[in-house]
């Protein structure tokens, strides 16, 4: 048996080296954390669902002109992706008020926003991923001004594409988080994942939460919610 080289283990995924220098293998775990790792648990079947759902959405975005790290899915939980240097900025897009936006600004959950909001967060667990401005990102050398513009433009384009996709399966895309990476050629591509771990998704009719908020807020039926979202997406894909 060949011993795999683990390059990195995050809260929800492991990244392994492959025999190609510019390709890595991502393996999705069932582990779930919230509040920067303070709350921990498992969501049975989550790894397989997030891997397959994320790949489906990345393929859809790629068909619509969004460059991504995706190469190919190799099993239920595993995918080959381009090796990238992750840009240490988490890009959040919001269509309705929820989560930290509601808490920080006192806007009730589910208030529609007149236009989508893009926010940047510093990707740093020790600091609790603080919200940052463009000036902070520039001062900390996280990206150039034109890269920040490109991240914002890509995030808004992805929002339009994802909103349409989720609306087709009767889901409201409340908000989501994206990560981008730089390839060896210097191109910035969409990386990480898009799944119920990284999106807030509500049923269009009942507004039932069908995402990781069920885990964060102890709402129960977490596994069912992930399966429901995956079933709806595969049904229209
Ligand atoms: P927030 O309202 O807690 O700032 O979250 C905004 C969106 O980003 C929500 O869809 C959940 C997602 N998110 C992550 O994917 N990872 C994180 O670490 C956090 C805090 C949020």
């Amino acid at each position: 048996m060949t011993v795999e080289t683990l390059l990195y283990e995050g809260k929800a995924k492991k990244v392994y080296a492959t025999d190609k220098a510019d390709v890595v293998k991502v393996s999705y775990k069932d582990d779930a954390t919230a509040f920067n790792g303070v709350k921990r648990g498992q969501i049975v079947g989550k790894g397989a669902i997030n891997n397959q759902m994320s790949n489906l959405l990345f393929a859809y975005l790629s068909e619509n002109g969004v460059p991504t790290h995706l190469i190919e899915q190799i099993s239920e939980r595993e995918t080959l992706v381009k090796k990238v240097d992750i840009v240490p900025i988490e890009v959040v897009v919001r269509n309705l008020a929820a989560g930290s936006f509601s808490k920080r600004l006192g806007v009730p959950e589910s208030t529609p926003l007149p236009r989508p909001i893009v926010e940047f967060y510093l990707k740093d667990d020790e600091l609790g991923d603080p919200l940052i401005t463009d000036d902070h990102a520039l001062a900390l050398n996280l990206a150039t001004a034109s890269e920040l513009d490109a991240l914002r433009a890509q995030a808004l384009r992805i929002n339009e594409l994802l909103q349409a996709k989720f609306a087709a399966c009767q889901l409201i895309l409340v908000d989501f988080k994206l990560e981008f990476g730089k390839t060896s050629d210097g191109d910035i591509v969409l990386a990480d994942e898009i799944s119920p771990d990284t999106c807030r998704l509500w049923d269009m009719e009942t507004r039932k939460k069908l995402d990781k908020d069920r885990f964060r807020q102890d709402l129960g039926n977490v596994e069912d919610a992930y399966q429901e979202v995956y079933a709806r997406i595969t049904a229209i894909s």
Side-chain angles (χ1 to χ4, degrees), residues 3 44 96 149 160 201 221:
V3 180
V44 176
L96 273 67
D149 289 344
E160 281 177 12
L201 298 163
N221 301 107

Side-chain angles (χ1 to χ4, degrees), residues 3 18 21 23 27 34 36 39 50 60 62 70 81 90 107 119 123 135 149 154 157 161 166 188 193 200 208 220 237:
V3 180
T18 68
V23 177
S27 178
N36 204 16
K39 181 179 169 78
N50 284 6
Y60 159 71
S62 174
L70 177 64
V81 300
E90 299 194 357
V107 181
E119 296 172 339
K123 185 174 162 65
D135 281 355
D149 289 344
Q154 280 295 4
R157 171 83 183 124
L161 291 165
F166 286 122
I188 291 189
E193 69 179 277
R200 285 195 172 92
K208 183 179 174 187
S237 297

